[in-house]
Amino acid sequence: MPTAVSLFSGCGGSDYGLRQAGFDVLMANDILPYAQAVYVANMPETDFRHCDVRQINSFPEAELLAGCYPCQGFSQGGVRDADRKINFLYREFLRALKLIKPKAFIVENVSGMTRSTFEHLLKNQIISFRLAGYRVSWKVLNAVDFGLAQERKRIFIVGIRSDINEVYEFPEPTHGENRTQPYATQQDIIGNLPEWPLGDFCEDAFHWYYLSRDRRRNWNQPSKTVVSNMRHVPLHPMSPKLIKLGPDEWKFETNAPARRLSYREVALLQGFPMDYVFPEGFSLAKKYEVAGNAVPPPLFRAVADALPNIWN
Ligand SMILES: C[S@@+](CC[C@H](N)C(=O)[O-])C[C@H]1O[C@@H](n2cnc3c(N)ncnc32)[C@H](O)[C@@H]1O
């Protein structure tokens, strides 16, 4: 079994995908207490280090390094400030890469990193990884093309150590028109769940900001991107349609009851299994936060599965 170290591991989305791809995840890390609680409830064998990554001085030897450094600065929802300190956490990933020197690495981040405002930061990262001795490729993938019932575009950066004579090829989409399987729909994934799972969904009012755009998709479509802030999570498909009144202004078509997706529905649309444990004792907002921030496990698995066999 090839071994992996994971940084910025959250509640374990990327690492659950890695395990399914056959990796033994030796060590994981996150600064968020609830991320640790969820992670260890589901993957107790991994040495989870709950601390700021900057406090970790040594890492176990491993063949793969995975990391999804925070992305608020690049995301549409976050403050678009290319110089926010948080964007430089990738240097911590680079530090680990230079210490561990794994055979390969995988990074996931928001696709906003490819926008012209942030291009210089993406280039910095790629150049740094090349200088560290890796052949680097990157691509924006959409989760819906890989069987998830969710539109979610993310950039993946994959590197293979230069002394290994292999090049990484990204996986081809498997779902959608003219592909082997049709897109998955919300009906497929959350269609048989209770309509009103009280306590599991955010009941805050639908304020003007929420209604500044269309937040709903039909049962027979994939969901819109699920996010980490529970107030901004898309509508459950049983909610009435939203109709456009003008620029940035939408309203419900009828007075029928409406609700946001629950945290469990968010987790399922991210590709976590139904029995993925979200321990009690923390707020509902924390459950949404870690589930919405995760990398969809099946997407991370597809990227890891496409690595050449360089492990023996
Ligand atoms: C995009 S999320 C990672 C999602 C995760 N890979 C998954 O699939 O579930 C980024 C994570 O970085 C963590 N983080 C932010 N700053 C950190 C730091 N200084 N040290 C360690 N973790 C940090 C956040 O708490 C968050 O969980």
Side-chain angles (χ1 to χ4, degrees):
M1 233 184 179
T3 52
V5 163
S6 153
L7 300 178
F8 310 101
S9 318
C11 70
S14 43
D15 299 9
Y16 194 80
L18 277 182
R19 284 164 63 113
Q20 289 184 318
F23 285 84
D24 181 8
V25 184
L26 302 176
M27 191 213 107
N29 160 249
D30 206 280
I31 198 168
L32 195 70
Y34 192 56
Q36 177 194 30
V38 180
Y39 194 111
V40 301
N42 293 283
M43 295 179 278
E45 309 79 19
T46 298
D47 169 20
F48 191 102
R49 305 205 194 158
H50 172 229
C51 61
D52 188 320
V53 64
R54 285 169 279 204
Q55 293 166 351
I56 304 179
N57 297 321
S58 65
F59 302 89
E61 273 181 27
E63 286 157 305
L64 180 79
L65 177 63
C68 315
Y69 27 86
C71 51
Q72 283 89 335
F74 309 110
S75 71
Q76 280 188 326
V79 183
R80 287 188 217 167
D81 176 353
D83 293 320
R84 275 172 63 125
K85 274 209 184 83
I86 204 159
N87 291 335
F88 292 94
L89 278 173
Y90 88 82
R91 298 226 171 101
E92 288 300 310
F93 182 86
L94 184 62
R95 178 174 70 88
L97 188 70
K98 288 177 178 169
L99 284 172
I100 303 171
K101 298 188 181 71
K103 290 181 173 170
F105 72 82
I106 307 177
V107 165
E108 181 262 14
N109 214 307
V110 291
S111 55
M113 209 192 256
T114 57
R115 273 193 228 118
S116 53
T117 335
F118 307 123
E119 235 181 346
H120 64 291
L121 291 176
L122 176 59
K123 271 191 197 144
N124 274 355
Q125 291 169 45
I126 289 169
I127 291 169
S128 309
F129 296 147
R130 286 188 177 140
L131 289 174
Y134 288 82
R135 237 178 248 125
V136 185
S137 339
W138 64 268
K139 191 168 184 182
V140 173
L141 303 179
N142 191 342
V144 77
D145 293 331
F146 292 87
L148 281 294
Q150 183 197 166
E151 295 275 355
R152 189 181 186 90
K153 286 188 187 163
R154 290 291 184 269
I155 184 174
F156 286 82
I157 309 173
V158 179
I160 297 190
R161 217 171 57 208
S162 312
D163 60 299
I164 300 169
N165 200 17
E166 292 280 359
V167 179
Y168 182 76
E169 304 265 359
F170 277 93
E172 286 301 322
T174 48
H175 290 64
E177 273 171 43
N178 303 325
R179 298 187 183 135
T180 48
Q181 296 167 75
Y183 284 132
T185 68
Q186 297 190 90
Q187 178 69 49
D188 298 333
I189 307 300
I190 59 169
N192 60 355
L193 296 184
E195 277 201 350
W196 294 98
L198 284 179
D200 286 355
F201 62 91
C202 169
E203 294 185 59
D204 290 8
F206 299 116
H207 46 70
W208 68 266
Y209 180 78
Y210 192 80
L211 295 174
S212 67
R213 59 183 90 149
D214 190 6
R215 306 276 184 175
R216 184 186 173 279
R217 286 283 174 81
N218 291 325
W219 279 113
N220 64 356
Q221 294 176 305
S223 82
K224 298 178 76 102
T225 307
V226 298
V227 292
S228 60
N229 181 333
M230 68 176 184
R231 301 184 84 198
H232 299 162
V233 159
L235 286 168
H236 186 276
M238 61 144 216
S239 310
K241 278 188 183 147
L242 285 173
I243 47 178
K244 190 167 186 167
L245 295 179
D248 304 329
E249 207 183 344
W250 295 69
K251 74 162 197 173
F252 286 107
E253 194 175 45
T254 70
N255 288 330
R259 71 164 173 91
R260 295 172 178 84
L261 293 164
S262 70
Y263 84 86
R264 176 59 72 185
E265 289 157 349
V266 163
L268 290 169
L269 291 166
Q270 286 274 59
F272 285 100
M274 187 66 191
D275 60 0
Y276 207 75
V277 178
F278 290 86
E280 296 305 331
F282 291 79
S283 67
L284 178 61
K286 288 287 161 202
K287 292 179 178 170
Y288 273 109
E289 180 181 354
V290 297
N293 248 340
V295 186
L299 183 57
F300 211 79
R301 179 188 177 165
V303 173
D305 275 342
L307 283 162
N309 188 359
I310 51 177
W311 315 117
N312 300 323

